[in-house]
Amino acid sequence: MPKRIGIFGGTFDPVHIGHLRSALEVADMMALDELRLIPSARPPHRGAPQVAAPDRLTMVALAVADLAPLCVDDRELKRDKPSYSIDTLESLRAELAGDDQLFLILGWDAFCGLPSWHRWDELLQHCHILVLQRPDADSEAPETLRNLLAARSISDPLTLEGPGGQISFIWQTPLAVSATQIRTLLASGKSVRFLVPDAVLTYIHAHGLYRASN
Ligand code: ATP
């Protein structure tokens, strides 16, 4: 049987219940064998994360410790260059059987920014793309993506076939949590309990992360 593997990238600075709940729902709905959370080292599209890579990696590892099929994948932190998704996909593909299915999970905003990504037009050679769409979002895809969507999108994500090449949408109501909000709360000495798993909270406090002086 081909394996079904989802990949969910992010800075995870820190990982929070919004990421985890959303990832679990996708894994469940898509019957994934694995859903890999992949912390990025130097994200090409945003400023440097506040906390160092090993801490972000450990927090994700703690968060998914007992949460199969979620798991953590540290390959982007082992590379000494920006975290390009195409490199990640190529290295994953090199480890998998030819008929294994890869699903790159992207929020709608990230999907709309795709044309600015390094070698973006090669991504679908390696994976399917699952776009997480919010029921309240009404923005249109940019012009460059409209032809691609017309050619490659299918309405039911459960009917995605083969190792890659197609795009589908998953409608989800995300929890209103962001890492930015969590960093702000911590910097002002406020509690983030229930916004991150308890093991992550313990790690944050034990290592003095996200304090105003950091
Ligand atoms: P920041 O506030 O620092 O920008 P973030 O909370 O958006 O961080 P990221 O690590 O940048 O988290 O996001 C990784 C992935 O998780 C992205 O695809 C993003 O769309 C998604 N994501 C972020 N927050 C949520 C949430 N509350 N629910 C579902 N998905 C989320």
Side-chain angles (χ1 to χ4, degrees):
M1 275 289 276
K3 276 208 270 180
R4 292 166 66 79
I5 299 174
I7 61 181
F8 188 48
T11 42
F12 302 119
D13 186 23
V15 66
H16 55 68
I17 57 159
H19 301 131
L20 297 165
R21 186 64 223 164
S22 172
L24 264 185
E25 284 178 15
V26 173
D28 192 31
M29 178 201 154
M30 294 295 294
L32 299 180
D33 297 301
E34 279 175 25
L35 196 164
R36 301 187 184 205
L37 274 65
I38 309 189
S40 52
R42 281 193 277 142
H45 293 102
R46 50 183 288 166
Q50 188 172 329
V51 156
D55 287 323
R56 291 184 290 114
L57 176 68
T58 305
M59 289 189 281
V60 176
L62 288 168
V64 300
D66 197 15
L67 217 54
L70 270 55
C71 59
V72 64
D73 183 319
D74 66 354
R75 76 190 57 228
E76 293 195 359
L77 301 180
K78 288 186 184 152
R79 286 202 302 262
D80 183 29
K81 49 184 203 167
S83 297
Y84 292 127
S85 295
I86 188 70
D87 297 329
T88 303
L89 288 167
E90 284 179 343
S91 85
L92 271 165
R93 266 286 161 224
E95 295 170 9
L96 299 174
D99 57 351
D100 286 341
Q101 295 186 290
L102 267 182
F103 301 92
L104 175 65
I105 299 159
L106 297 176
W108 170 251
D109 293 355
F111 178 70
C112 288
L114 214 60
S116 69
W117 290 23
H118 184 55
R119 294 167 55 200
W120 73 278
D121 50 347
E122 296 172 48
L123 295 172
L124 284 170
Q125 293 171 17
H126 302 286
C127 64
H128 296 296
I129 294 180
L130 287 176
V131 183
L132 299 183
Q133 182 65 288
R134 304 178 173 214
D136 58 350
D138 58 3
S139 52
E140 281 211 13
E143 185 69 37
T144 7
L145 288 175
R146 275 187 223 144
N147 289 342
L148 184 76
L149 279 171
R152 303 294 194 108
S153 70
I154 61 167
S155 55
D156 181 356
L158 289 172
T159 61
L160 289 168
E161 281 179 357
Q166 293 172 306
I167 302 169
S168 197
F169 289 80
I170 291 182
W171 296 83
Q172 242 185 11
T173 304
L175 297 174
V177 182
S178 71
T180 304
Q181 172 200 6
I182 290 168
R183 292 193 300 272
T184 305
L185 287 169
L186 287 166
S188 55
K190 302 229 169 66
S191 170
V192 297
R193 184 118 199 254
F194 307 123
L195 297 178
V196 299
D198 283 347
V200 172
L201 186 63
T202 303
Y203 186 88
I204 288 172
H205 290 320
H207 295 262
L209 305 181
Y210 304 110
R211 288 204 203 124
S213 54
N214 282 341

